[in-house]
Every structure is written in structure tokens, then in C-alpha cells.
């Protein structure tokens, strides 16, 4: 390996652009937030900082047209993406979301946060993410299946069990993964279970995967609470989002004796001082497609959610929910980010000034991809583990990762987010350096 000259001659500026040309500053959105997070970590990277530009550019971006025949015979076109942010530590890994507001900037940020997350919990993956700009609720089941299959086929040129492994995310689930696995397998001519994770258990899926993200949120929540001397018994928990992540986190906190006082989803915002019956609310949401109409709670306006006093606030919906506009009025002791990117950098600073601890997404919601990793390993070895074994290993990884991040935050006097980025970026850039530049 020919070593690069180091330090680089300071006189000649590099012929490189600060931003990839396909991104205009005005469209930065979540990707802009991610770039700010990276900038905060660079001063802590020591000599590895010379590779930091790598983190600011996704390795590979694929934009695909997804045409499908609708039930009425017409042809509709949807915009699909798969972004591989970094593959220094292993194949790309990250979910696929179906949402009407999906943009390239969003998928880029989500792919980058996967790189950080996977490195933070030290699973041997890079980061990737995919999405289709579509409201899946407007499609029939048949249309949804055709859309999923065509999207999979279009991104099939860059995914694979050793290349990039999709998984569920917002509005995608085990059925989506079954269709993706089947489509990929039909195209390559052999059943390839390891191409996606989050599959049904009968199709190479893993026990415990569905609950894994929520279980991880709960696990780091317990660890953080202990360090703040916050007792879970009777602690007030507010949860935004009641999908796979929010509902499981709420249930585990309630089982530990906490009071889930507020829940918000796309359909309603509910409040109950004495605590909601989470299991009953889950049944209601499964039956009615949302929490609206649940009888045993007070209904609030959606903005009033941010005024609910809590000890633990769990944003588990979409990005950019806690912003400059509401961070000043949030009354809680800690925020555990179940969603990806729910807090903007400006809001992060406001919460820090107000002494509210933020357990960042890149560690808090890493339980999902951790069990995805277990699923992928089980698929390769065709040897399946018990649920107990999976949960124990998950809890151990989450606790160890959290403790390592906490120690860095303590030592460097930085936020948990910056500490997680320090741990993760060092791992990524160290492998980057070991591999060297090709050619
Ligand atoms: N979509 C999940 C996340 O944001 C899981 C990704 C995976 O399992 O690959 O972490």
C-alpha cells in the first residue's frame, strides 16, 4: 500500500466540492442535519479526521423508476431509492420505507445513520437505506405487492446477501420482506433468505426480530435511567408513534412499572394521567389502523403532545419532530430516540442547555439491526437460535455499547450523540484507513 502524503500540502486546495452536485443546499433536510452531526465529531477524530470527507458522501446512490399496473388497468410510476452510504466495515445494511414524503436527502441521511448505528453496536456492516415515495395506504394489497416486487427487481443490481441487505422500516413489514426475498430469489434462480432481514419466522426470519427495536429502546432507557437516578416505577412515559418501535417500547416500560401517560400516532393524541393500558391500546390500533377512537383516554390536539409533562419522552415516528420550535417547551428528563433523526441539531443544543438527556437514535434504536444481524447469521448457518438466546445477546450488546458511549461522553464532556459518533466514526474510518484507497 502506498501511504498517502500526510499531512497533505496545505497550500493547494483540493479540487473537490463541498457538496455533491446533486444536492442543493436548500434541499439538505435530514442530510443537512447529519452533516452538522459529522462536523461536531471531526475535532475528536485525531489523525483519522483526514478521512472524514468519506462520511460526507454516500458511496453509491441508485434512483429507480417503479412502474406498476394499477387494479384499474392504468400504469402508475413511483420514485424509488437505494443508497449505500458506506461499506468499509462490511455489506450495506438498512431498511426500506414506503412513505409519501420520502426524498433522496432523507434516504441519504437514513443510510448514513445506519453506518453510524452499525458501527456503534459493532455489527459487521456498512450503512444503507432504501425507500419508495408512495403512500402505501392508497394501494390495494395486489398493487402493494407489485410495487414491492418491481422496486426489489430494480434495486436487485446492487443488493445481495454479501452486498447490501434491506430490512423493514416505516410502513414495511414481514410480508414486504417475504415479497422482496422471493423476488430477488426468482431473479437469481435460487432461494436466498439472507438477502433481507425481518422476514417471517417461517421463512428464515428470527425470533425476537419484530420486538427487537423496542426492546433495545427499553434496554438503553433502563441504563440511562439508572445513571440519572430515575426510577422506572411510576415514571411518566410519553411516546410519539405507535408502530413497531413505539408500541413495543411503551409495552416494555409499562411492564416495568412506568406509567405511559401519552401516546400519539398519525390518527390521534391520547393522554391518561394514571397511565394507558398499552396492551388494550395495541389491540385497538391493530383493529382500527390507529389509536383514534380508543375510549379510556383523553384526546389532545396533536401539538399539545409536546406540553405533556413526562420523565421519559420517546419519539418513535419520523425525522425532525423535536425542533427549535418545540424543544424549549418539552418537559421531560430524557429523550430516547426510537425514530431515526427525530431531533434537529439546534434542538439538541436547546435540550442540552436545559439539562435534558438525549439518548440518540444511533444507539437507542440499534436493537432492530442487531437482531437483523443475528437473523442473517442464522440464515447463513441454517441453524436457528431460541428467543431467550436472542434476547440475552441483544441486551448484552446494547448494554455494552451504551456503557462505552457513556464513558466517552463523560470523558470528553460531549453529548451522547457526539460520543456515539466518535465511537462509530473511529471504527468506520479505521477500517477505511486499513483498506486503503483503490487504486
Ligand atoms: N430500519 C431499521 C433501522 O432503522 C432496521 C434496519 C435493519 O434491520 O437492517 O435501524
Amino acid at each position: 500500500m502506498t501511504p498517502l502524503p500526510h499531512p497533505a500540502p496545505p497550500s493547494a486546495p483540493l479540487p473537490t466540492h463541498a457538496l455533491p452536485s446533486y444536492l442543493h443546499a436548500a434541499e439538505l433536510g435530514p442530510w443537512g442535519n447529519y452533516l452538522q452531526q459529522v462536523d461536531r465529531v471531526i475535532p475528536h477524530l485525531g489523525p483519522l479526521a483526514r478521512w472524514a470527507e468519506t462520511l460526507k458522501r454516500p458511496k453509491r446512490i441508485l434512483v429507480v423508476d417503479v412502474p406498476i399496473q394499477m387494479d384499474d388497468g392504468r400504469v402508475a410510476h413511483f420514485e424509488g431509492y437505494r443508497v449505500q452510504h458506506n461499506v468499509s466495515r462490511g455489506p450495506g445494511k438498512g431498511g426500506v420505507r414506503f412513505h409519501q414524503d420520502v426524498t433522496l436527502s432523507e434516504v441519504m441521511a437514513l443510510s448514513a445513520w445506519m453506518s453510524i448505528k452499525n458501527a456503534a453496536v459493532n455489527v459487521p456492516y456498512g450503512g444503507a437505506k432504501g425507500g419508495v415515495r408512495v403512500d402505501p395506504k392508497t394501494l390495494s394489497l395486489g398493487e402493494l405487492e407489485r410495487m414491492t416486487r418491481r422496486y426489489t427487481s430494480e434495486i436487485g443490481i446492487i443488493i445481495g446477501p454479501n452486498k447490501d441487505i434491506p430490512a423493514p422500516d416505516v410502513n414495511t413489514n414481514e410480508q414486504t420482506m417475504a415479497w422482496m426475498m422471493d423476488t430477488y430469489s426468482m431473479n437469481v434462480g435460487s432461494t436466498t433468505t439472507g438477502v433481507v432481514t425481518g422476514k417471517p419466522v417461517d421463512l428464515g426470519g428470527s425470533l425476537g426480530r419484530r420486538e427487537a427495536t423496542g426492546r433495545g429502546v427499553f434496554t438503553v432507557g433502563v441504563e440511562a435511567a439508572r445513571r440519572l437516578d430515575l426510577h422506572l416505577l411510576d415514571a411518566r412515559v410519553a411516546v410519539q408513534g405507535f408502530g413497531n418501535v413505539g408500541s413495543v417500547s411503551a409495552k416494555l416500560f409499562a411492564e416495568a412499572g412506568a406509567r405511559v401517560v401519552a401516546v400519539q400516532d398519525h390518527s390521534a393524541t391520547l393522554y391518561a394521567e394514571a397511565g394507558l393500558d398499552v396492551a388494550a391500546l395495541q389491540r385497538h390500533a391493530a383493529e382500527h389502523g390507529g389509536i383514534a377512537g380508543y375510549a379510556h383516554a383523553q384526546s389532545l390536539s396533536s401539538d399539545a403532545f409536546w406540553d405533556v409533562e413526562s420523565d421519559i419522552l420517546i419519539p418513535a415516528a419520523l425525522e425532525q419532530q423535536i425542533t427549535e420550535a418545540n424543544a424549549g417547551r418539552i418537559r421531560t428528563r430524557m429523550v430516547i430516540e426510537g425514530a431515526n433523526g427525530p431531533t434537529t441539531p439546534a434542538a439538541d443544543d436547546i435540550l442540552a442547555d436545559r439539562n435534558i438527556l438525549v439518548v440518540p437514535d444511533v444507539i437507542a434504536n440499534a436493537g432492530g439491526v442487531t437482531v437483523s444481524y443475528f437473523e442473517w447469521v442464522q440464515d447463513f448457518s441454517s441453524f436457528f437460535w431460541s428467543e431467550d438466546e436472542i434476547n440475552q445477546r441483544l441486551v448484552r450488546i446494547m448494554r455494552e455499547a451504551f456503557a462505552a458511549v457513556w464513558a466517552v461522553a463523560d470523558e470528553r464532556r460531549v453529548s451522547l450523540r457526539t460520543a456515539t459518533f466518535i465511537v462509530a466514526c473511529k471504527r468506520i474510518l479505521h477500517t477505511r484507513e486499513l483498506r486503503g484507497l483503490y487504486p
Side-chain angles (χ1 to χ4, degrees):
M1 180 176 92
T2 321
L4 286 176
H6 179 233
S11 51
L14 285 167
T16 187
H17 298 284
L19 273 180
S21 59
Y22 44 80
L23 268 189
H24 301 291
E27 294 167 7
L28 283 178
W31 176 252
N33 293 342
Y34 163 75
L35 289 181
Q36 284 187 52
Q37 293 165 351
V38 171
D39 282 336
R40 289 176 177 198
V41 83
I42 290 175
H44 298 275
L45 296 178
L48 287 172
R50 73 192 179 108
W51 295 101
E53 188 66 23
T54 305
L55 300 167
K56 297 187 173 187
R57 286 152 195 273
K59 176 183 179 60
R60 190 176 282 132
I61 292 176
L62 181 63
V63 183
V64 295
D65 175 37
V66 185
I68 62 158
Q69 179 150 9
M70 302 298 276
D71 292 345
D72 66 6
R74 290 179 301 166
V75 175
H77 292 257
F78 301 98
E79 201 172 305
Y81 307 97
R82 185 74 187 170
V83 177
Q84 295 169 352
H85 172 259
N86 187 279
V87 295
S88 292
R89 303 179 69 255
K93 181 91 189 82
V96 169
R97 69 172 52 179
F98 295 161
H99 195 278
Q100 59 278 16
D101 298 329
V102 163
T103 61
L104 177 58
S105 155
E106 181 189 33
V107 180
M108 285 168 61
L110 291 165
S111 71
W113 286 323
M114 286 310 304
S115 299
I116 305 294
K117 188 186 308 187
N118 292 334
V121 287
N122 213 1
V123 291
Y125 293 131
K129 200 83 173 199
V132 179
R133 192 171 167 84
V134 59
D135 179 359
K137 288 191 282 296
T138 63
L139 300 184
S140 70
L141 192 65
E143 289 165 346
L144 185 63
E145 176 173 352
R146 292 195 290 281
M147 199 272 293
T148 304
R149 287 184 181 279
R150 181 60 188 252
Y151 167 70
T152 308
S153 201
E154 293 296 336
I155 65 165
I157 52 173
I158 61 166
I159 64 169
N162 293 309
K163 289 160 81 175
D164 178 2
I165 306 114
D169 197 74
V170 174
N171 292 336
T172 53
N173 56 25
E174 294 175 7
Q175 179 61 71
T176 321
M177 294 306 117
W179 290 330
M180 290 188 76
M181 190 282 268
D182 182 69
T183 304
Y184 181 87
S185 299
M186 298 307 282
N187 283 347
V188 298
S190 59
T191 295
T192 312
T193 53
V195 67
V196 292
T197 59
K199 300 178 295 294
V201 171
D202 290 336
L203 213 58
S206 177
L207 295 168
R209 174 61 185 87
R210 199 183 308 152
E211 300 79 22
T213 312
R215 193 173 293 281
V217 166
F218 174 70
T219 304
V220 296
V222 169
E223 293 299 305
R226 196 160 51 76
R227 287 165 169 87
L228 291 192
D229 237 348
L230 168 66
H231 299 285
L232 284 192
L233 198 65
D234 232 26
R236 295 158 302 173
V237 178
V239 184
Q240 187 201 33
F242 205 61
N244 186 39
V245 183
S247 71
V248 174
S249 314
K251 184 156 169 282
L252 292 173
F253 275 105
E255 282 170 7
R259 263 186 296 148
V260 178
V261 293
V263 172
Q264 174 172 80
D265 77 353
H266 60 93
S267 68
T269 303
L270 300 179
Y271 177 77
E273 168 86 54
L276 289 148
D277 178 343
V278 178
L281 191 58
Q282 275 178 326
R283 286 192 296 275
H284 177 94
E287 207 178 306
H288 299 92
I291 62 172
Y294 179 73
H296 313 285
Q298 193 186 328
S299 179
L300 302 180
S301 74
S302 79
D303 188 55
F305 176 79
W306 303 110
D307 294 321
V308 170
E309 204 172 322
S310 65
D311 299 294
I312 300 174
L313 172 63
I314 306 176
L318 293 168
E319 303 90 59
Q320 309 197 98
Q321 297 301 302
I322 304 180
T323 64
E324 265 170 303
N326 59 9
R329 56 189 248 240
I330 288 173
R331 284 170 301 161
T332 194
R333 291 191 59 194
M334 66 170 160
V335 174
I336 313 175
E337 295 184 336
N340 291 307
T343 312
T344 63
D348 250 347
D349 292 342
I350 296 170
L351 296 176
D353 283 346
R354 297 184 56 223
N355 214 12
I356 296 172
L357 181 73
V358 178
V359 185
D361 48 5
V362 281
I363 187 102
N365 70 30
V369 74
T370 301
V371 176
S372 275
Y373 166 57
F374 298 162
E375 177 173 335
W376 183 73
V377 169
Q378 292 172 83
D379 287 340
F380 272 116
S381 56
S382 298
F383 178 73
F384 291 87
W385 315 346
S386 73
E387 190 160 357
D388 265 0
E389 208 171 340
I390 285 156
N391 288 342
Q392 275 171 29
R393 284 181 197 251
L394 167 64
V395 167
R396 194 171 69 219
I397 289 180
M398 297 298 294
R399 278 193 191 143
E400 282 173 8
F402 185 80
V405 163
W406 187 274
V408 171
D410 210 28
E411 185 195 312
R412 306 227 179 188
R413 303 264 134 226
V414 292
S415 68
L416 284 179
R417 190 184 315 278
T418 298
T420 311
F421 269 68
I422 293 174
V423 170
C425 293
K426 280 189 169 175
R427 284 192 180 135
I428 296 167
L429 298 182
H430 175 59
T431 53
R432 176 86 204 73
E433 183 162 76
L434 284 174
R435 289 177 67 156
L437 267 187
Y438 172 87

